[in-house]
Amino acid sequence: MLQHIEFSRPLRRVLGLTLLLATGMAGAQDPYPNRPITLISPFSAGGDADLAARTYAAAATKALGQSVVVMNKTGASGVIGSAQVVAAKPDGYTLLLARTGSQAIMPAIMPTSTKYKWNDYTFIGMLELNPYGCVVSNNSPYKTFSDLTDAMKKQGKNLNFGTAGVLTTNDMGPRQLFRMLKLTDQIPTQLPYKGTGEAVTSLLAGQTQFSCGSLGTFLAHIKSGSLRALMVTTAERLNELPQVPTARELGFAEMEQVVGWSAVFAPAQLPANVKDRLVAAMTTIAEDPQWRTMTAQTGSLPYIRSPEQTREFVQKQYELYRSLGESLNIIDASN
């Protein structure tokens, strides 16, 4: 028969503290990751963000040894999904596919409605750069970029263009172009969609006359002949589109500052061991030939960088769009 043993109060305290320490040490030693990771893509399926998210997820699953599952959380030009990551538990199981619009443009132009700052995250690393350009349907009467800009001047708001939402690169690139063309209130009409994929669909259907954005989503349609690229903002012509002139060649060198990009962010206050594991995975992904091939197939350029380099890059992008917003007088008036 077991006897009941009565411990003294001081001994009970020591035993309880020992149990807590042992439990804490066991928890601290749990390997990361030990369950699936959710990657929030703040734009709709089929667009540039979604392509980058799924390409990264496939490579990260191999590098981390756990499934990385993409969740499209759309709305408000990427703000809804981005805000969800800001508010998430900083344990490494919720990550963000960061994009130019949601992480640089929105905080720069609409700081009140965005509610998060460009640096309210743990920076894991840059992923890629997305060459930017303007495209039309192959049935369009605009055969050259000059044809399109002439139409902008003559037709003004009667011309429309599709975007992945206001204050995305699909929106800000044309704004920069309209400013350079000295258009005022008679600017083409923007038709915002939930993502670049939907904007491409509207262009193919003839619902919009042109679209400007990262060329990844357009590329397959350009190669098939259903869309025609008129201009790219890269410093040199793209190898895959050698017939398409650069903005600088066409006299619009200032358009070179508009470029798409993807990065991986996590909530702030991420534990150092978790951050180190994710950063190490980025190094592995950078050498993954399948990831590099898949990234190139989407029309993007591999651009993996360290957390420090990523922070510096994003800050410069934020400052660029803050300056552009001020020159266009479109900064949120309440700030």
Side-chain angles (χ1 to χ4, degrees), residues 13-30:
R13 287 178 179 173
V14 170
L15 290 172
L17 181 59
T18 301
L19 180 61
L20 285 172
L21 288 172
T23 303
M25 289 177 65
Q29 292 171 354
D30 285 343

Side-chain angles (χ1 to χ4, degrees), residues 14 28 50 66 72 85 109 113-114 128 130 187 214 218 221 223 231 238 252 259 271 282 297 321:
V14 170
D50 184 60
Q66 278 288 343
N72 297 97
V85 176
I109 307 296
S113 58
T114 301
E128 61 176 22
N130 313 125
I187 63 173
S214 298
F218 301 125
H221 301 288
K223 289 184 174 180
M231 175 273 286
L238 296 174
F252 295 91
V259 64
M282 293 289 276
Q297 286 175 347
Y321 288 108

